[in-house]
Amino acid sequence: MAPGVKLMQKISSTLLFAKLAPHFIPALDKAVHRLSRGKVMLSARMLPGVILTAKGAKTGEPRTTPLACMPEDGGRTWLLIGSNFGRPGHPAWTGNLLKNPDADVSWKGRDIAVRARLLEGEERAAAWRAVLGFWPPYATYQARIEREIRLFRLERR
């Protein structure tokens, strides 16, 4: 485990982080990603990340969201975790994917067409166990809220 990861896990589990992070991490990630021409996401120093572009559920307009992800199969598929930093309410991008599962991700400087699938049942349970092994603070996020955190698997189209 990289130095500082345990500390970051502890910090990211706090309520203060849940209140503050959504206001600066996505904006900072978008800016750095744009300036680096898709090669860098600051938050990816701790967790791998993608920039998701999906059609808005209500508007149909493209919505771009930097997200932590759990790559699978060497980056051929990805798990997206709709944790919303452990805050109530599903993040908007999850509703967008439910209505419009065809999307694009920027992964390590490459744009990739993907299809999102909401995981349910045993498939979700297995993915959730893997996610908790990958980033344990997700358990704290889930314990803090009543809704079940949505998990999506993105597969290349």
Side-chain angles (χ1 to χ4, degrees):
M1 189 174 290
V5 172
K6 283 285 192 195
L7 177 61
M8 191 59 208
Q9 287 179 348
K10 186 172 184 150
I11 291 169
S12 71
S13 295
T14 66
L15 285 172
L16 182 61
F17 184 85
K19 287 182 181 186
L20 298 178
H23 301 289
F24 70 87
I25 290 178
L28 193 57
D29 267 342
K30 279 183 183 179
V32 171
H33 186 262
R34 185 175 51 252
L35 291 171
S36 68
R37 295 191 173 127
K39 292 182 174 46
V40 177
M41 279 179 61
L42 287 182
S43 63
R45 306 290 289 160
M46 288 293 151
L47 282 171
V50 296
I51 301 288
L52 173 71
T53 302
K55 287 183 184 176
K58 295 177 184 170
T59 66
E61 295 296 316
R63 302 292 180 216
T64 302
T65 310
L67 297 169
C69 69
M70 186 178 125
E72 300 177 303
D73 194 22
R76 286 176 174 57
T77 63
W78 302 265
L79 286 178
L80 296 183
I81 303 96
S83 69
N84 205 12
F85 297 93
R87 299 178 306 158
H90 294 288
W93 63 264
T94 67
N96 295 343
L97 289 180
L98 288 173
K99 183 158 185 183
N100 301 298
D102 288 342
D104 295 289
V105 293
S106 176
W107 169 251
K108 297 185 177 183
R110 294 179 42 222
D111 293 329
I112 302 165
V114 296
R115 173 161 287 161
R117 189 167 47 82
L118 180 66
L119 301 184
E120 298 175 308
E122 183 48 42
E123 184 181 25
R124 186 203 180 277
W128 183 248
R129 288 189 295 272
V131 163
L132 293 182
F134 179 70
W135 192 250
Y138 285 127
T140 303
Y141 294 175
Q142 183 62 79
R144 200 182 288 154
I145 55 178
E146 292 184 22
R147 67 179 174 85
E148 181 178 74
I149 291 174
R150 291 175 175 161
L151 297 181
F152 289 85
R153 178 164 285 124
L154 302 183
E155 298 168 332
R156 293 173 188 246
R157 288 190 272 142

